[in-house]
Amino acid sequence: MESSSAASGGSTRREATRQKLYEAAVTLIAEQGFSATTVDEIAERAGVAKGTVYYNFASKSVLFEELLRHGVGLLTASLREAADRTAREGGSKVDALDAMIRAGLVFIDRYPAFTQLYVAELWRTNRTWQSTLMVVRQQAVAVVEDVLRDGVAGGELSEEIDIPLTASALVGMVLVAALDWKSFQSERSLDDVHAALSRLLQGRVSGCR
């Protein structure tokens, strides 16, 4: 039996290998699509043997499903941290939503290929991983729902807000605006894009103060 330190080291190495496989897969699939990407190509891009891919994942589909789970998990954690940090600093619920918008933009700026894949997969209903995608999507949206719900309960936000739809709209706004930014307005800074979305959140699109 392995000692705890040896087991920990093995777990760390495996996580590092899986991370390399995630990065290789997301890049290749973004470049040429899921069907056209082979396990051999993923292994080569990751710098590992083909057997290593199958040691960590039963198939290419399982690898992609776990990639979606991993990526959306990172996004969810970044949104939750933004909300928690705002609460610790004494900010309002609107401040928390604004911080979450920025956290989403930072995530997308760091992982544009994953975000592109994630948005594309949301519209496909014939994938084996569709149910998993819906579950992890809801985990991200639920973080925003919690902040909206607390804002309504505390009187900061209107009771007329449709919480599930508003949370989905906010997440969708960040995803679509950020993809447009990365694809068509890349000269703009993250601060610039955040400021524009922040004005939408604050209800100041018309320019009134």
Side-chain angles (χ1 to χ4, degrees):
M1 181 175 290
E2 294 179 326
S3 67
S4 59
S5 59
S8 176
S11 176
T12 300
R13 285 193 297 274
R14 187 176 187 192
E15 282 306 308
T17 298
R18 290 168 73 94
Q19 185 63 40
K20 288 197 296 184
L21 291 170
Y22 288 144
E23 291 172 359
V26 74
T27 302
L28 284 166
I29 294 170
E31 290 173 355
Q32 57 195 34
F34 176 80
S35 297
T37 299
T38 67
V39 172
D40 289 297
E41 289 173 320
I42 293 171
E44 181 179 359
R45 181 69 65 94
V48 301
K50 182 177 179 179
T52 301
V53 180
Y54 288 115
Y55 175 76
N56 286 274
F57 305 99
S59 67
K60 185 178 69 169
S61 291
V62 171
L63 167 56
F64 190 58
E65 183 173 344
E66 289 303 311
L67 167 63
L68 291 171
R69 205 184 282 274
H70 174 73
V72 180
L74 290 177
L75 173 60
T76 301
S78 68
L79 296 178
R80 185 176 291 111
E81 169 55 27
D84 291 347
R85 184 174 62 253
T86 303
R88 290 194 300 270
E89 295 172 352
S92 68
K93 297 306 176 185
V94 174
D95 291 334
L97 292 170
D98 188 56
M100 294 164 84
I101 286 174
R102 185 174 186 87
L105 291 173
V106 169
F107 175 88
I108 293 165
D109 188 41
R110 183 175 181 182
Y111 304 109
F114 172 79
T115 306
Q116 180 183 348
L117 281 179
Y118 170 65
V119 172
E121 290 304 315
L122 285 174
W123 296 100
R124 296 192 173 105
T125 58
N126 61 341
R127 303 293 205 188
T128 58
W129 51 77
Q130 186 66 22
S131 60
T132 296
L133 183 59
M134 291 301 98
V135 169
V136 295
R137 170 203 168 274
Q138 184 53 39
Q139 289 171 354
V141 173
V143 179
V144 184
E145 288 182 356
D146 288 344
V147 173
L148 290 170
R149 194 172 289 110
D150 289 345
V152 171
E156 184 179 342
L157 302 174
S158 170
E159 293 182 356
E160 297 180 357
I161 288 177
D162 184 319
I163 291 174
L165 187 58
T166 301
S168 295
L170 286 171
V171 172
M173 175 184 73
V174 173
L175 288 172
V176 174
L179 287 176
D180 185 87
W181 162 43
K182 301 302 290 184
S183 299
F184 306 113
Q185 304 183 57
S186 58
E187 74 282 358
R188 302 183 70 166
S189 68
L190 190 150
D191 288 340
D192 188 25
V193 177
H194 175 224
L197 297 187
S198 182
R199 283 191 289 273
L200 280 174
L201 174 68
Q202 301 287 346
R204 293 188 286 141
V205 179
S206 64
C208 58
R209 296 179 182 271

